[in-house]
Amino acid sequence: MAEGVPKYIAVRDNLRQRAQAMYPGEQLPPEPELCDQYGVSRITLRHAVDDLIQDGLLVREQGRGTFRTAKQGESQHEVISDHIRGFFRQQADLGNTVDTKVLDNAVVRNAKAAQRLGLPDDADLVRLERLRYVDDKLKQHVITFLSAARFPKVVDQDFSHQSLYDFLEHNYAVRLVENDAAVRVHALDTRMAWYFGVPDGTQVLEMDSTVIDAFGSTIAFGTTLHAPGSGEITFIVRAQKDSSVA
């Protein structure tokens, strides 16, 4: 396992790679066997597996075991549970091909975003602007703001092929547990209509997201424009559970 990475994260990431190579319906080895392979307790293993179940990659059947799920359709899922996973990781775990075009990654000042992050109006923020494609189709335009002082490494990263949330977890030990979202109808301006290939003024779903960590701190604020025709966003809400690990 990678040095400095929590055990359950290392196990989860390795299990994700294994599961992605499995056929739909294929069963994972029994828990005792996996515990021996990874040298971890059953509590740690279950913590890792639970994350992949919540991401839709695995399913646990009582009395039978844990299985690889079938590839799901193109509905866009924002999963709100005891562990927030980003769109990039969610779609990849569903077996979809995810590509990201980074339009901007820079330090800026934005009073509205700073207020949502609980920072002074003149605080330096990282502004990350991306286009997200699923199976070569543009699905989202996303602008995310974070504190530049707290997360200085973000501005130097290329997020074309990695998840922002995974990066924060691995580099800053941030565990995201809450996503406060507000959804509205939005008319596209000329620039965004050009990206989506539709007429100016086309109405789409716009979602503001305020993402919070396990300590109640606001980590990120962002706005997402969903592609025309994405008339459904599914929210899966689960009660938080004890996340202690061995």
Side-chain angles (χ1 to χ4, degrees):
M1 295 185 187
E3 185 176 352
V5 177
K7 283 185 178 180
Y8 102 89
I9 292 178
V11 173
R12 183 199 66 202
D13 290 350
N14 185 272
L15 278 175
R16 177 181 289 114
Q17 294 176 4
R18 291 175 62 171
Q20 287 173 336
M22 294 166 61
Y23 294 105
E26 187 175 349
Q27 186 174 6
L28 278 180
E31 282 188 353
E33 183 177 334
L34 289 173
C35 288
D36 288 342
Q37 290 178 11
Y38 291 112
V40 297
S41 69
R42 182 167 291 188
I43 293 176
T44 298
L45 177 69
R46 286 189 175 178
H47 193 178
V49 172
D50 284 348
D51 273 4
L52 300 183
I53 290 173
Q54 290 162 6
D55 289 346
L57 184 63
L58 299 174
V59 60
R60 182 183 289 122
E61 297 186 12
Q62 187 67 33
R64 294 191 61 219
T66 303
F67 301 83
R68 174 69 161 95
T69 56
K71 182 175 179 179
Q72 300 185 18
E74 293 189 350
S75 294
Q76 297 182 44
H77 296 266
E78 296 290 340
V79 179
I80 304 176
S81 59
D82 69 327
H83 189 188
I84 302 299
R85 308 296 292 158
F87 179 87
F88 186 101
R89 179 57 58 196
Q90 291 173 21
Q91 292 296 322
D93 287 349
L94 290 173
N96 297 325
T97 300
V98 185
D99 294 300
T100 300
K101 181 178 181 180
V102 178
L103 301 179
D104 187 41
N105 187 359
V107 176
V108 302
R109 290 183 178 177
N110 183 299
K112 175 186 175 183
Q115 291 170 11
R116 297 294 292 266
L117 292 169
L119 300 173
D121 288 358
D122 60 352
D124 286 340
L125 308 178
V126 177
R127 180 185 184 275
L128 180 60
E129 182 179 8
R130 294 163 289 169
L131 297 176
R132 289 166 161 172
Y133 297 81
V134 177
D135 296 335
D136 295 324
K137 296 179 181 179
L138 178 58
K139 291 295 184 180
Q140 295 182 342
H141 169 266
V142 186
I143 297 176
T144 306
F145 292 94
L146 308 97
S147 168
R150 183 172 180 183
F151 305 112
K153 297 179 182 178
V154 171
V155 76
D156 296 322
Q157 291 297 309
D158 179 4
F159 288 97
S160 299
H161 302 289
Q162 66 173 317
S163 162
L164 171 62
Y165 289 178
D166 281 359
F167 177 83
L168 294 177
E169 183 176 52
H170 284 280
N171 289 273
Y172 293 98
V174 171
R175 183 172 176 81
L176 304 173
V177 300
E178 181 178 336
N179 185 355
D180 294 339
V183 182
R184 69 184 69 85
V185 176
H186 174 84
L188 294 177
D189 60 21
T190 300
R191 175 175 178 255
M192 293 315 307
W194 182 84
Y195 278 126
F196 284 113
V198 296
D200 291 6
T202 297
Q203 293 189 333
V204 299
L205 292 180
E206 179 182 55
M207 182 169 69
D208 285 349
S209 296
T210 303
V211 184
I212 299 169
D213 70 7
F215 299 99
S217 299
T218 300
I219 300 301
F221 168 71
T223 300
T224 301
L225 293 175
H226 293 268
S230 299
E232 175 182 314
I233 303 175
T234 302
F235 294 89
I236 303 174
V237 182
R238 298 186 180 92
Q240 291 190 8
K241 62 183 179 182
D242 183 1
S243 59
S244 60
V245 298

